[in-house]
Amino acid sequence: MPEPRYARRLPPPEAPTMRRLATPQDIDSVFALYMHEKVVPFLGYDPMPLEDFRAIYRELLGGGSFYVYEHEGRIAGFYRAVRYPGRVQHVACLGTLAVDPAFHGQGIARAMVTEAIDTLKAAGVKRIELFAESDNATALRFYDKLGFEREGTLRKFYKRAGDADYVDEYVMARLFD
C-alpha cells in the first residue's frame, strides 16, 4: 500500500553512542587516532610504528581504566581515568584523552568527557585532575567550559621530537562538594 502524501517520515534512529573499556581488538583504531597528525602532538608519545605502539597499548589496557567512546559504530575517542589510592582515593586523573578530528564540532568530546565526569562523581570522586599543554588552545578552552581551573604550571615539561623548545604543561582540576 502506498504511503499517503501527507505522511511524515521519521528520521532514522541515530547510532548509539557508548563508553566501554578498551579491548586488545581496538588497537588498530586507537593507534590510528593516537597517531593522527592533529592528535599526536598533544599525547604522551611522538609518532611511531604500530609495532612500537603495542607495548604502550598493553600498558593502557593493563590498568583497567582506558576507555573508548564509540559513535556511529566506530571509535570516536578515548580517555584514561585513573583513581588514586589511599588518602587521595577521592581524586581521579583524566588523561590520554582524544577525539577523532572527523567528529570535532559535533559534541562528541563534550559528551565523552561529561560522561566520564558523571561516572567518576557517582563513584565518590571529589576532585578530577588533568594536564594540558600550554599551546593547546582548543583543549584549554574546552576544559575551561567544563569547569576545570588552572592550578599550576609545570614549566618546560613537555618536549616533542623535532621541536627546539619545551612546552609548559598546565595542571587543571575540577572540584565537587
Side-chain angles (χ1 to χ4, degrees):
M1 173 178 215
E3 189 175 277
R5 280 185 333 149
Y6 55 85
R8 194 175 119 199
R9 290 182 189 245
L10 296 175
E14 289 186 28
T17 301
M18 63 177 259
R19 172 187 73 106
R20 64 172 173 79
L21 280 172
T23 68
Q25 293 75 28
D26 296 322
I27 189 167
D28 291 329
S29 296
V30 170
F31 175 76
L33 175 51
Y34 200 111
M35 296 298 148
H36 190 285
E37 66 182 14
K38 291 183 179 179
V39 173
V40 73
F42 304 111
L43 292 177
Y45 294 93
D46 289 312
M48 67 183 73
L50 176 60
E51 287 310 309
D52 293 347
F53 185 74
R54 288 186 191 285
I56 294 163
Y57 192 67
R58 278 193 300 274
E59 183 182 325
L60 286 169
L61 292 181
S65 59
F66 184 62
Y67 296 89
V68 294
Y69 197 76
E70 293 182 336
H71 181 71
E72 297 177 351
R74 64 184 248 221
I75 292 177
F78 54 72
Y79 68 91
R80 189 175 189 181
V82 178
R83 221 163 150 177
Y84 295 120
R87 291 184 174 160
V88 290
Q89 63 185 317
H90 64 284
V91 181
C93 184
L94 279 180
T96 314
L97 193 150
V99 170
D100 186 333
F103 290 107
H104 285 183
Q106 297 179 34
I108 298 295
R110 178 175 291 279
M112 181 177 78
V113 176
T114 298
E115 185 174 345
I117 290 168
D118 292 346
T119 300
L120 291 167
K121 195 172 160 186
V125 168
K126 304 291 183 200
R127 173 187 170 87
I128 300 174
E129 301 176 337
L130 56 82
F131 299 84
E133 296 81 2
S134 61
D135 63 350
N136 192 346
T138 301
L140 293 170
R141 280 191 305 275
F142 175 71
Y143 297 136
D144 285 341
K145 288 179 186 177
L146 289 176
F148 286 87
E149 296 179 25
R150 292 181 203 174
E151 293 188 333
T153 301
L154 303 171
R155 298 179 325 165
K156 295 187 178 187
F157 188 77
Y158 201 76
K159 176 82 164 73
R160 298 179 187 105
D163 285 358
D165 296 321
Y166 288 83
V167 177
D168 292 346
E169 183 98 326
Y170 293 139
V171 179
M172 302 181 79
R174 181 169 170 189
L175 304 176
F176 306 101
D177 292 330

